[in-house]
Amino acid sequence: SGLPSVADDSGLVVDALNGMPGVLSARWSGRHGDDRANLELLLAQIGDVPDERRGAAFVCAAALVVPGGPETVVHGAWTGHLTRAPRGTNGFGYDPIFVPEGETRTSAELSADEKDAASHRARALQALLPHLRALA
């Protein structure tokens, strides 16, 4: 297009799985976008992991590419832990089992406004803002 472009990708990083599923989050069960199958497989894989070792983070990489100019990649992370069973109906993917640090609710129990303000995507895009402002 010849215009500046922004893109992002994200995934869930699980400590007990050495950072997996990561970029494979959307297709962890083998079927892209099958949220229920992905979530059930992940819970089965960490079923015997004690609560104190169920750390996880949603991680987002956001990129800004300016034709003839710099390429910028920033990251945002939303740390927390995983529950043993899904809770909540807001959001998608792994939201029903992810409890952000400092919270007792899963990200699927947060309002859209609460999630938008604190999420990994929000953090990555906040880090990208100075670079976007520099284009003006």
Side-chain angles (χ1 to χ4, degrees), residues 96-136:
I97 62 169
F98 180 76
V99 177
E101 194 171 290
E103 261 297 340
T104 57
R105 298 172 292 168
T106 67
S107 55
E109 294 174 304
L110 300 176
S111 71
D113 288 342
E114 288 173 308
K115 185 177 172 186
D116 289 347
S119 77
H120 53 302
R121 283 190 184 91
R123 293 169 191 221
L125 293 174
Q126 287 170 354
L128 199 57
L129 271 177
H131 303 281
L132 290 167
R133 287 187 178 117
L135 296 176

Side-chain angles (χ1 to χ4, degrees), residues 30-75:
R31 294 180 301 273
H32 187 275
D34 189 341
D35 289 350
R36 183 180 185 98
N38 290 333
L39 190 145
E40 288 175 357
L41 175 60
L42 180 65
L43 284 177
Q45 289 172 322
I46 63 168
D48 62 347
V49 174
D51 290 346
E52 64 274 8
R53 293 190 50 233
R54 295 172 76 90
F58 279 117
V59 178
C60 177
L64 169 64
V65 177
V66 178
E71 296 178 6
T72 304
V73 178
V74 297
H75 298 90

